[in-house]
Amino acid sequence: HNTDADKNLDENFRRHRAFDDTPGDLLDYAGNPLTHLGATGIWYLLSENDRTGQDRAWTMLSALAITDTVTVGLKVAVNTERPNGDNLSFPSAHTASSFCVASVLDEYYGPQVGIPAYIGAAFVGWRMMDSHDHWASDVLFGGTLGYIVGHTVAGKHKQLELAGFNIEPLVSLDTHPASGLRFVKRF
């Protein structure tokens, strides 16, 4: 954000609008964190006889609550100006929430559902920049935040992995005490 990259991208969006009002309004509504929370609450209520459905809806609610809380906290702490002159730009809540939803759906239903959900989330992020509600850095950070929180919360049953290496806590009380993370690959 401290370079001209955000400003240059915003200028490009000002010259080349992608969404008219109606598609933009639909993406704004579809990407709204309150829409996600409401839809997930309905999912939970409709799953009263389906334990798996309720567990998945509860996981989605948990991931959204974490994402939204962190997003609002960062907005208040950082308080950057939006391209349209309003405040509380960083990070994009719409994008964070949309990528959180996509990540949870990807964890539970695989790429058949995950890929279309990520494409939808990307359109929400694009709309946030196209409407001058957010800088590209707001959208990039929001998407990354939602992705990480969604996969972390929904993937709680999985081993944490990076580039094929399991990530494990490290605690050593030997002659040289140490703590941290270790990357483990078993052959």
Side-chain angles (χ1 to χ4, degrees):
H1 184 76
N2 293 332
T3 68
D4 287 336
D6 273 339
K7 291 177 184 162
N8 292 339
L9 283 167
D10 184 58
E11 279 302 315
N12 187 55
F13 278 107
R14 289 183 190 279
R15 288 191 305 271
H16 308 288
R17 290 286 316 258
F19 300 108
D20 293 331
D21 290 338
T22 301
D25 290 345
L26 289 173
L27 284 170
D28 185 42
Y29 179 74
N32 192 309
L34 294 177
T35 302
H36 299 152
L37 288 168
T40 305
I42 291 169
W43 177 19
Y44 183 84
L45 292 173
L46 292 176
S47 299
E48 80 177 271
N49 296 323
D50 174 15
R51 183 68 179 158
T52 300
Q54 274 195 330
D55 288 346
R56 290 178 175 186
W58 185 255
T59 298
M60 180 75 81
L61 282 170
S62 300
L64 286 169
I66 293 166
T67 300
D68 295 345
T69 301
V70 170
T71 301
V72 170
L74 285 170
K75 281 181 175 293
V76 171
V78 176
N79 194 19
T80 56
E81 186 176 313
R82 297 172 185 254
N84 64 15
D86 291 343
N87 291 324
L88 301 176
S89 183
F90 180 84
S92 168
H94 281 69
T95 309
S97 187
S98 296
F99 273 92
C100 179
V101 167
S103 296
V104 172
L105 292 175
D106 184 38
E107 280 287 334
Y108 284 135
Y109 301 106
Q112 311 87 304
V113 174
I115 290 172
Y118 286 125
I119 292 170
F123 272 111
V124 169
W126 187 276
R127 188 266 179 208
M128 293 295 110
M129 293 181 293
D130 188 61
S131 64
H132 314 293
D133 287 330
H134 285 284
W135 303 102
S137 59
D138 302 339
V139 169
L140 180 63
F141 187 87
T144 303
L145 173 67
Y147 178 88
I148 290 171
V149 171
H151 277 289
T152 300
V153 172
K156 62 186 170 211
H157 60 282
K158 292 184 177 179
Q159 175 69 36
L160 190 57
E161 185 180 294
L162 178 66
F165 289 85
N166 290 341
I167 302 173
E168 300 176 353
L170 169 68
V171 177
S172 173
L173 301 175
D174 296 335
T175 55
H176 302 305
S179 64
L181 296 175
R182 65 181 174 182
F183 296 88
V184 179
K185 180 90 172 174
R186 299 197 191 337
F187 297 96

